[in-house]
Amino acid sequence: MSLPNDGFTVLLPDAQQWRESNIMKIPNTNLLQDLGGSAHLGGRLWRLPPYSANTWHRHADSWELYFVLEGLGRMRIGEKTVTVPRYGCVLVAPPMLRQIFNDSPDESLWLILAAPQEGQSGTPVEPSYIYPQDPKSLPPELAGRVWPPQ
């Protein structure tokens, strides 16, 4: 990533490129990509609709910091479920399976920062490592719900 001569760049809200994630169809924006990219850091905003979940996954290299900006955050990490209030955060080590989810009728907004950016170590990462179980599996708190939408 090359920054302008003054050493920084700004991404305004209107320039953020929101899209649905490939597997779970969760609206997100890749902040670092929109800023020009970084091998050292990843950063996304994830807007979880009511009764939704992100993928059940882990990372090979990336430590992730999960920060709740709006709503109530719910997350499963391995066999545990944690509740994270607005402005609270969780740091998760690479090998831990994790999933953010929303079991409430209100949206939640998460900022997720990852370092280093996954896959930048030069070692290829097999999808079966990232998703050792069904990535679409939902936490028990969403039993009986269907996500992603059909």
Side-chain angles (χ1 to χ4, degrees):
M1 173 179 191
S2 177
L3 293 175
N5 289 338
D6 50 10
F8 70 92
T9 186
V10 175
L11 177 64
L12 298 175
D14 290 347
Q16 295 171 6
Q17 299 178 30
W18 285 84
R19 66 171 188 87
E20 285 187 342
S21 62
N22 294 332
I23 297 174
M24 297 299 273
K25 308 303 180 199
I26 300 293
N28 72 94
T29 182
N30 187 335
L31 300 170
L32 274 290
Q33 181 177 327
D34 292 348
L35 284 166
S38 171
H40 306 289
L41 181 67
R44 290 180 185 260
L45 290 174
W46 291 87
R47 184 169 296 282
L48 272 71
Y51 309 109
S52 67
N54 202 345
T55 56
W56 178 231
H57 72 285
R58 66 180 171 194
H59 292 280
D61 300 322
S62 299
W63 287 76
E64 286 188 315
L65 176 72
Y66 292 79
F67 188 95
V68 179
L69 295 166
E70 295 175 4
L72 183 66
R74 300 275 281 149
M75 183 173 196
R76 66 175 171 155
I77 307 158
E79 298 295 320
K80 297 183 181 196
T81 298
V82 297
T83 299
V84 186
R86 183 175 173 201
Y87 305 138
C89 60
V90 178
L91 179 64
V92 182
M96 297 298 299
L97 280 166
R98 83 279 313 265
Q99 178 180 47
I100 57 174
F101 65 93
N102 184 357
D103 58 349
S104 81
D106 303 310
E107 284 188 344
S108 63
L109 179 65
W110 292 78
L111 170 64
I112 303 175
L113 300 174
Q117 178 73 328
E118 188 70 34
Q120 295 300 318
S121 67
T123 304
V125 180
E126 294 294 324
S128 62
Y129 179 83
I130 302 295
Y131 305 115
Q133 300 170 7
D134 180 3
K136 292 184 180 181
S137 67
L138 299 177
E141 292 82 359
L142 291 175
R145 301 272 180 183
V146 175
W147 195 268
Q150 303 301 321

